[in-house]
Amino acid sequence: MTVILLAQSAPAQAADSTQYAGGASRGLGVAIPFSGFTDRNGQPVPISGAVGADLVLGSTSQPYLPCQNYDPRTGTGDTFINACEVRGSYTTYTRFAAGQGILFPHGYFMPNTQTDLVNGGSLQTDWGARTAGLSLEFYPDVTLDQEYVHSRFYVDYFNHRANGWTYSYHVGTIKLVTLADPGTTRITGAVTRNGTAPAAKEIKFTIFGGDARSSANYPISSFAVTYSNGTAWTSGAMYAGPQRVTVDDTATGHQCIYDLSSITGPDNQMDFDVARPGFGRDGGHCNFQ
């Protein structure tokens, strides 16, 4: 997933990992003291899932994401594109088997050396030394994709040195929650094109927002990527709070972005007719008239 909240900042001044200086004092790289997901009582949850991490170079205000600098037509991109586990998206993508739990017993690490996933061997990327920020996005149990809140957090400060690594603020753990838990919300609605159902998955919805805290009181938010299903759509479970809803009509290239000040509870309605100006709603910022 693209780090949309970062990508809306000013473009970075450089366009390759090698153009960013690293910090010589970083040691082996950077790390986040984050242990994983727990249940409501703070105990590990035997659940499957995945964690995607976006590496940000440069700065939070002028970000460069090396693994998103990729042209699938030519197979080219950043100097170290071969180190990206998901070219065009995540720098790393960690999968957890059913029953294993989404756990990082020692934290999440971004080292200076990565595996060359194309040619074998290793690449001296110095990504750990160059890191400006790390954005982690979590996918609990894909078989129940819309039941669990998809959490995310971003760290951009690393100052504690230990065991050869440089650590960020303590994040701790995140509680795995659903709509049955307090502090959650959901958006549902209808989507049509001139009153008829769009083709399957023709309309894409991307939502970022909400406010929550980890066990160490670190700020976390949520995200969802979902598609139209007939004339219906739903965000699935999210953290309650402000939301940014991006609607893409993949058939026309039209897009509208809606900023919602605060969404709470499970019954929030947003209906769209993608054939109408503003997709039939006021308050959107759209790329068409």
Side-chain angles (χ1 to χ4, degrees):
M1 167 160 313
T2 301
V3 186
I4 291 175
L5 298 184
L6 294 175
Q8 290 170 356
S9 303
Q13 295 176 346
D16 191 90
S17 291
T18 58
Q19 295 176 265
Y20 293 92
S25 64
R26 288 280 181 87
L28 297 172
V30 295
I32 303 173
F34 169 70
S35 301
F37 279 77
T38 69
D39 63 17
R40 300 175 190 177
N41 300 314
Q43 299 301 309
V45 185
I47 193 173
S48 64
V51 179
D54 279 313
L55 167 67
V56 178
L57 305 182
S59 69
T60 298
S61 61
Q62 290 189 310
Y64 171 70
L65 284 69
C67 293
Q68 293 184 22
N69 181 21
Y70 175 64
D71 186 344
R73 297 167 298 179
T74 62
T76 60
D78 188 87
T79 294
F80 304 116
I81 195 68
N82 287 358
C84 301
E85 291 191 13
V86 185
R87 294 183 176 195
S89 183
Y90 291 123
T91 309
T92 65
Y93 191 77
T94 307
R95 296 172 176 83
F96 297 85
Q100 182 177 345
I102 303 175
L103 300 173
F104 290 87
H106 305 291
Y108 176 85
F109 294 81
M110 177 57 65
N112 287 319
T113 302
Q114 276 74 34
T115 300
D116 187 327
L117 300 170
V118 176
N119 302 310
S122 61
L123 291 170
Q124 185 68 31
T125 65
D126 288 332
W127 276 348
R130 305 180 204 267
T131 298
L134 292 168
S135 176
L136 272 63
E137 298 181 338
F138 302 91
Y139 299 84
D141 195 343
V142 295
T143 64
L144 298 171
D145 187 62
Q146 294 189 331
E147 303 298 321
Y148 293 109
V149 170
H150 292 206
S151 306
R152 72 189 302 268
F153 64 82
Y154 179 68
V155 295
D156 60 359
Y157 188 66
F158 304 88
N159 72 333
H160 175 65
R161 296 174 180 84
N163 305 315
W165 296 84
T166 302
Y167 290 80
S168 71
Y169 292 116
H170 185 63
V171 176
T173 60
I174 296 175
K175 287 185 180 180
L176 186 69
V177 295
T178 70
L179 281 174
D181 295 284
T184 60
T185 191
R186 178 180 60 190
I187 307 171
T188 61
V191 55
T192 60
R193 187 187 303 279
N194 276 327
T196 62
K201 294 189 174 182
E202 193 168 68
I203 311 303
K204 178 182 178 181
F205 301 86
T206 307
I207 306 101
F208 284 94
D211 292 317
R213 295 276 168 167
S214 72
S215 65
N217 203 38
Y218 194 84
I220 56 178
S221 59
S222 56
F223 71 98
V225 179
T226 187
Y227 295 84
S228 57
N229 180 16
T231 58
W233 81 279
T234 177
S235 67
M238 303 278 293
Y239 291 128
Q243 309 288 343
R244 169 164 287 189
V245 180
T246 301
V247 184
D248 287 287
D249 181 348
T250 64
T252 63
H254 291 169
Q255 179 188 83
C256 289
I257 299 173
Y258 307 86
D259 287 314
L260 311 178
S261 59
S262 184
I263 296 294
T264 61
D267 300 312
N268 300 280
Q269 187 86 7
M270 287 190 76
D271 297 334
F272 302 95
D273 185 338
V274 296
R276 296 178 59 193
F279 290 161
R281 296 187 65 90
D282 295 329
H285 301 281
C286 305
N287 66 357
F288 65 100
Q289 297 297 322

